[in-house]
Amino acid sequence: MTILVLGGAGYIGSHTVYELIEAGEDVVIADNLETGHVEACHPKARFYKGDIRDKNFVDNLFDNEKIDSVIHFAANSLVGESVSNPLKYYDNNLYGTMVLLKSMVEHNVKKIVFSSTAATYGEPENIPILENDKTEPTNPYGETKLSMEKMFKWVSNAHGVRYVSLRYFNACGAHKSGLIGEDHNPETHLIPLILQVPNGQREKVAIFGDDYDTKDGTCIRDYIHVTDLAQAHILAVKYLNEGKESNIFNLGNGVGFSVKEVIEIARKVTGHPIPAIISPRRAGDPAKLVASSEKARKILGWNPEHAELEEIIASAWNWHKNHPKGFQK
Ligand code: UDP
């Protein structure tokens, strides 16, 4: 049976496809290549170019391939962009998922694992964050992901589509092969931006706000290796294959690093001074997001293998220094 990976040419999607292929699965990738890269697609996966908002395209995938379960990464995921262009997020993330679900129901495909986010929580009440903590997103990205989760809940009730929602904290790092890694255009994520400095592509990195209520005033995040995230998707598919009920899991390491600490570790890893300046806060950023992933460990049997931030940044650096222009030749 085949696993359909929507958004399988993107950062987390491509790393998940690599793990699925290594685990011996048959994989179909669909991606509109708006932010994904065809070069990131594993050569053993069958690739279809198209958009999940295009019902004919999605119907054809289910008509032509024997798809048993879906892993859904096809979404926009930038906090700042979602604040300035919310309708883009409602269109791609929410409407796109609605089209996908319609087609899944019509084709009797009943299992889906999808990307959710720590941004569903908003400004958390407790650290570490538990899955049943309050969800009040502070940006349209988190809002559309939370709405997706709710859509899955009701569709699950009505049509028996079982789902696993994985709420990622901060994905980073790159595949051990050095063949794939993070490549966004424009880049907005902290670790690749930091690494552009030792790569000679920028002079300094900007710290977005140093007046947060945190130990050093800069935002705290829970950084998790992309390969560990990929493994969680495989475990989630297995969980659904065992007939278990729909569920929501956080995926993080449970350890928070401030922006200043991340820069310091990158200095150590790269041996470069990496100058940094303080800039204004970025709209929609909560001060502190750190996961409790106890539930994923207990129920999915997930056990992140690359938990050290130094190792994660070293794997990212291995990709970026060898691919300064990303997938572009
Ligand atoms: N950040 C920063 N400078 C940058 C990019 C990001 O200080 O050039 C901060 C950002 O405000 C957040 C953290 O780094 O607190 C992680 O941001 P990123 O965009 O990587 O991930 P997000 O937390 O938005 O998913």
Side-chain angles (χ1 to χ4, degrees):
M1 288 305 242
T2 301
I3 300 177
L4 170 64
V5 182
L6 300 165
Y11 174 44
I12 306 172
S14 61
H15 284 76
T16 301
V17 171
Y18 267 62
E19 297 305 311
L20 287 167
I21 298 276
E22 203 172 309
E25 300 288 351
D26 184 54
V27 180
V28 163
I29 296 174
D31 200 299
N32 66 4
L33 298 182
E34 183 193 304
T35 55
H37 307 272
V38 73
E39 300 85 348
C41 294
H42 196 290
K44 287 194 179 152
R46 294 186 292 293
F47 173 68
Y48 293 80
K49 183 174 186 288
D51 195 298
I52 56 165
R53 287 163 289 193
D54 176 353
K55 177 96 175 4
N56 283 334
F57 171 71
V58 181
D59 284 341
N60 281 333
L61 289 171
F62 290 120
D63 288 338
N64 295 331
E65 298 278 357
K66 290 191 174 56
I67 291 159
D68 182 53
S69 42
V70 178
I71 307 183
H72 174 29
F73 298 97
N76 293 111
S77 61
L78 302 178
V79 167
E81 183 190 54
S82 80
V83 174
S84 57
N85 193 359
L87 293 175
K88 175 174 176 178
Y89 282 68
Y90 278 89
D91 182 40
N92 194 19
N93 297 5
L94 211 47
Y95 173 68
T97 301
M98 189 188 87
V99 173
L100 165 68
L101 274 171
K102 266 191 189 166
S103 187
M104 282 179 65
V105 169
E106 285 167 17
H107 290 82
N108 212 24
V109 177
K110 298 267 166 113
K111 288 175 286 185
I112 180 162
V113 175
F114 71 97
S115 316
S116 185
T117 168
T120 53
Y121 294 107
E123 202 65 66
E125 281 175 325
N126 306 305
I127 295 288
I129 303 170
L130 292 164
E131 287 81 353
N132 53 9
D133 282 354
K134 180 190 75 173
T135 45
E136 266 178 31
T138 52
N139 53 65
Y141 167 55
E143 195 75 67
T144 54
K145 288 284 178 170
L146 186 60
S147 304
M148 278 168 66
E149 289 187 351
K150 291 182 176 169
M151 178 157 49
F152 276 102
K153 184 181 91 179
W154 294 115
V155 172
S156 176
N157 279 353
H159 303 289
V161 174
R162 284 176 304 117
Y163 64 90
V164 168
S165 170
L166 298 175
R167 290 181 177 162
Y168 315 146
F169 283 63
N170 286 64
C172 45
H175 194 255
K176 58 179 188 269
S177 65
L179 292 172
I180 53 170
E182 192 166 6
D183 179 4
H184 299 110
N185 189 14
E187 189 51 76
T188 65
H189 292 105
L190 180 62
I191 291 175
L193 284 173
I194 292 173
L195 295 176
Q196 286 180 358
V197 182
N199 241 359
Q201 293 161 315
R202 72 173 52 235
E203 278 175 17
K204 51 189 181 292
V205 65
I207 297 173
F208 295 154
D210 69 345
D211 56 351
Y212 285 95
D213 184 17
T214 60
K215 53 189 169 187
D216 63 15
T218 66
C219 283
I220 290 182
R221 294 288 181 274
D222 182 339
Y223 294 89
I224 176 83
H225 197 289
V226 65
T227 298
D228 286 328
L229 287 184
Q231 287 298 342
H233 292 77
I234 295 184
L235 293 169
V237 171
K238 182 167 163 262
Y239 169 93
L240 291 174
N241 285 343
E242 288 164 356
K244 293 178 180 157
E245 63 186 16
S246 298
N247 221 329
I248 297 177
F249 299 98
N250 286 341
L251 298 178
N253 276 313
V255 184
F257 288 89
S258 73
V259 174
K260 283 186 177 169
E261 286 172 333
V262 175
I263 296 170
E264 201 46 54
I265 295 171
R267 287 177 179 136
K268 201 171 147 198
V269 167
T270 62
H272 188 284
I274 312 184
I277 52 155
I278 306 300
S279 297
R281 289 183 177 198
R282 184 174 68 178
D285 264 346
K288 196 169 177 182
L289 293 171
V290 179
S292 163
S293 300
E294 284 314 306
K295 188 177 168 188
R297 287 173 187 270
K298 217 167 136 187
I299 297 180
L300 295 179
W302 184 58
N303 187 22
E305 286 177 5
H306 311 280
E308 292 299 318
L309 189 55
E310 210 174 308
E311 184 197 342
I312 297 176
I313 294 180
S315 79
W317 179 226
N318 179 47
W319 159 255
H320 288 289
K321 71 171 185 257
N322 291 315
H323 301 84
K325 290 183 178 164
F327 289 98
Q328 209 184 311
K329 292 233 168 64

